[in-house]
Amino acid sequence: MTAPEAGRGIGGGGYSAEETTTFGFPRDTFRILHVSTGNVCRSPITERLTRHFVAERLGVLGGGLIVESAGTWGHEGASMESHAETVLAEFGADTSGFVGRELLDEHVIMADLVLTATRDHRAQVISMGHSAGLRTFTLKEFTRLVRAIDPTTLPPLEDGVVARARALVRAAAALRGWLLAPTAEADEVYDPYGAPLTFFRSIGDEIRDALDPVVTALTGVPARA
């Protein structure tokens, strides 16, 4: 089994043998995997915006947090769509070095949190097994659950982002089933593939609005005014 590339994550690479697992990654890490269909539009936007927002809040890229993406019908080796790059650039996020990937078993096995664009993507991830059910959510579903979690019940940032992130996922999983979406469509981020830039921008805004409370909960730091 081949592990995902370390370079896809925040702060990947440069670890001693004593610090790494069998797969070559740090023992004390938390991996977020964003999943869409082709891994050229929605999941690249969510991956790179997550990295950008974490860096804005913490001033660093790292702390054991690794952010990557893949697609259920991923265009292996493809660049992200040009409109997706434009949207990310408008947010100030880095678009360099992105390479599309097809979702594989090892991506799910190694992920501590899987955030999908739609309910169908969530179902596909869970159907792969690997005890993924309790750590797989649609992005908007996870946002809804996170908003209901009292941040004072989470470990302080002094304990590390990894400990806080793990507690956040456990708390969100415990709430699932209690806080239902008002409509089925409320948990969906629709595919902008082939759409004009204006639609990509609207999807980018949806993703930004969904990610903001998630990254705030992860880091314990609100967005800058």
Side-chain angles (χ1 to χ4, degrees):
M1 179 166 60
T2 302
E5 300 91 336
R8 290 302 298 267
I10 295 177
Y15 303 100
S16 67
E18 292 76 13
E19 294 174 312
T20 57
T21 66
T22 303
F23 298 107
F25 293 98
R27 297 180 187 278
D28 194 18
T29 60
F30 185 91
R31 304 181 75 90
I32 300 174
L33 175 67
H34 292 291
V35 175
S36 62
T37 303
N39 193 213
V40 292
C41 297
R42 289 167 291 181
S43 50
I45 292 174
T46 50
E47 173 192 320
R48 294 307 176 95
L49 276 186
T50 301
R51 296 186 187 191
H52 180 63
F53 291 158
V54 169
E56 277 191 329
R57 286 161 169 77
L58 299 183
V60 294
L61 298 178
L65 187 65
I66 296 172
V67 185
E68 52 195 0
S69 62
T72 55
W73 290 87
H75 300 292
E76 189 73 29
S79 302
M80 74 173 79
E81 284 290 294
S82 60
H83 286 342
E85 287 189 337
T86 298
V87 167
L88 284 169
E90 290 174 349
F91 283 121
D94 180 24
T95 64
S96 64
F98 181 85
V99 179
R101 303 189 304 178
E102 181 180 357
L103 181 67
L104 302 177
D105 286 304
E106 53 259 37
H107 301 146
V108 177
I109 290 169
M110 298 180 69
D112 298 288
L113 171 63
V114 184
L115 297 176
T116 69
T118 70
R119 292 168 296 151
D120 283 345
H121 295 133
R122 181 184 64 194
Q124 289 181 64
V125 171
I126 293 172
S127 73
M128 295 171 73
H130 316 304
S131 303
L134 292 177
R135 51 194 168 89
T136 302
F137 309 79
T138 74
L139 171 61
K140 289 186 175 180
E141 174 192 20
F142 193 66
T143 301
R144 184 176 67 255
L145 298 172
V146 163
R147 288 184 185 277
I149 296 169
D150 181 353
T152 64
T153 64
L154 300 173
L157 187 57
E158 289 76 13
D159 290 353
V161 174
V162 170
R164 189 176 178 94
R166 288 175 178 161
L168 185 67
V169 173
R170 289 193 298 269
L175 285 174
R176 185 154 46 186
W178 294 92
L179 295 175
L180 301 179
T183 65
E185 292 74 21
D187 281 345
E188 305 278 291
V189 176
Y190 291 107
D191 193 354
Y193 185 78
L197 179 57
T198 52
F199 189 64
F200 268 82
R201 285 181 173 134
S202 69
I203 293 300
D205 288 342
E206 283 187 34
I207 291 171
R208 174 203 58 201
D209 293 345
L211 280 176
D212 181 74
V214 171
V215 177
T216 296
L218 280 171
T219 62
V221 181
R224 296 174 183 172

